Amino acid sequence: MRIADMLARSKPTVSFEFMAPRDESEVDVLEHTVATLAGHAPDWVSVTYRVRTGDKTLELVTRIKRHYHIEAMAHLTCANTADRTRQILNWMEREGVANVLALRGDSPASGEPFTPADPLLAHGSDLIGLVKRSGYRFGIGAACSAEKHPESPDLEHEFRYMRFKVEQGADFLITQLFFDNRFYFDLVARARAAGIKVPIVPGLMPIPSRRSLGVMMSMSGASVPSSLQAAIDEAADDDAVRALGVRHCIAQCAELLEAGVPGLHFYTFNRARAPIEILGALRGQQLLAS
Ligand code: FAD
C-alpha cells in the first residue's frame, strides 16, 4: 500500500526507521528490535540504505513485509549509477516493494562532500525524477529539513529544493530530526502557503546518548534548545541523558499530535526501548489509539 494513502487518513500513522546492518555483529540487535517493535503496531516502517549494504536493505524490507505483514519502505540513495539504480528498482518492483524513500544519501566518509556515482544523480530530486519518469508505480517519499541542512546557505535554498522534490514526484516528505517543534510548524505553514499539499511527516529522534547527539547534530544541522542542552549538560550519565531524551520526545510528540500531524516517524537507531516508552506515554494520555 502507498504510504501517502495511509498519511491521508484522519488517524496519525506511527512508523519506525531501522538501519540496515553494516555487518554480522549488528544483526542480532536489529532482529530483536524489529520483532519487538513489530509488536507495537506500526502502520509502516522504513529501512536505511548504504551502498555497501544495499542488498541487506532490500532483504530486510521484503522480509518485514512477508513475515510481519507491515508495509516496509526501502530507502535508496544516489550512491549508484542510473543503470544500477534501475536494476535495483526493477528488483524492488518484482519483490512487491510499494514505497521508496528517494534520497541523495550521506557521504560514506564523514566530513567529506558527497560524490555522486553518476552526474545524472546528484540530488534527491534527480532520483525522484528517475523513479517517476521510468514509469515505476512506487509511492515516493523524500527527505526535507525543518532546520537548515548543513550544506545549504540558508532556509530559502532548502525550501526551493524541497518544493522541487515535490514537483519531481515526491508524494510525501519526512523531515530530518528536530528538537524544537517551531521549526516543523514554520516549515509546514510555509509549504501550505506555497501550495505544497503533500503530507510532511515529522522525523523524531529520542536522544540515545551525548555522543550520538553530537554526531547527529553535525550530520543533520539540528539544533538543541538551550533549556534541553542545559539539562543534558547537568545529567549525571548517559542513562540520565536517555531518560531526558525520552521525556523531551514525549512532549514534542504530544504537541505535534495535538496540532494534527499526519504521523510520527521515529529514528530508532535499532533500539526499541525509547520508542516503546514514548508510545506507551502517548497512548496512556489517549493521544494515540492503542
Ligand atoms: P538533497 O535533496 O540532494 O539535498 C542535499 C543538499 O543539496 C541540501 O542542502 C539541498 O538544499 C541541496 N539541493 C537539493 N537539490 C538540489 C539541486 N537540484 N541543486 C542544488 N542543490 C540542491 N542517508 C543515507 O545515506 N541513507 C539513508 O538511508 C538515509 N535515510 C534518510 C532518511 C531521512 C528521513 C532523512 C531526513 C535523511 C536520510 N539520510 C540517509 C540522510 C540524507 O541522505 C542526508 O541528509 C543528505 O545530506 C540529504 O539527502 P537529500 O535527499 O535531502 O539530499
Side-chain angles (χ1 to χ4, degrees), residues 17 46-50 75-77 101-107 122-126 142-145 149-153 157-159 161-162 164-165 174-177 219-220 265 267:
E17 179 188 280
S46 77
V47 181
T48 62
Y49 185 91
R50 297 273 178 277
H75 297 199
L76 188 60
T77 69
L101 188 66
L103 303 149
R104 184 197 67 183
D106 287 321
S107 169
H123 285 289
S125 50
D126 299 327
C144 67
S145 296
H149 184 278
E151 293 163 41
S152 286
H157 179 98
E158 204 52 45
F159 190 80
Y161 290 113
M162 180 185 96
F164 188 51
K165 289 178 189 183
I174 306 177
T175 73
Q176 187 52 274
L177 61 99
M219 284 180 78
S220 66
H265 186 64
Y267 298 112

Side-chain angles (χ1 to χ4, degrees), residues 1 4 8 37 74 99 116 153 176 181 207 248 260:
M1 182 178 191
L37 288 179
N99 297 277
Q176 187 52 274
N181 287 346
I207 299 168
H248 183 78

Side-chain angles (χ1 to χ4, degrees), residues 131-147:
V131 176
K132 201 74 187 172
R133 279 192 307 277
S134 307
Y136 296 104
R137 296 211 304 268
F138 299 111
I140 306 174
C144 67
S145 296
E147 292 182 68

Side-chain angles (χ1 to χ4, degrees), residues 18-90:
F18 299 120
M19 296 168 77
R22 280 170 297 191
D23 55 46
E24 285 306 306
S25 70
E26 296 181 351
V27 170
D28 286 351
V29 171
L30 171 66
E31 292 298 323
H32 181 256
T33 302
V34 171
T36 306
L37 288 179
H40 287 263
D43 297 278
W44 55 278
V45 301
S46 77
V47 181
T48 62
Y49 185 91
R50 297 273 178 277
V51 69
R52 279 187 289 277
T53 59
D55 291 354
K56 300 259 185 305
T57 301
L58 306 183
E59 188 268 328
L60 185 58
V61 163
T62 50
R63 199 151 46 79
I64 291 173
K65 279 174 76 86
R66 284 184 195 137
H67 187 77
Y68 297 104
H69 305 290
I70 295 169
E71 191 56 65
M73 170 168 70
H75 297 199
L76 188 60
T77 69
C78 298
N80 303 291
T81 62
D83 284 347
R84 173 74 188 131
T85 300
R86 282 194 198 88
Q87 286 171 5
I88 295 169
L89 291 165
N90 292 344

Side-chain angles (χ1 to χ4, degrees), residues 116-130:
D118 190 321
L120 293 174
L121 292 177
H123 285 289
S125 50
D126 299 327
L127 181 54
I128 296 164
L130 182 146

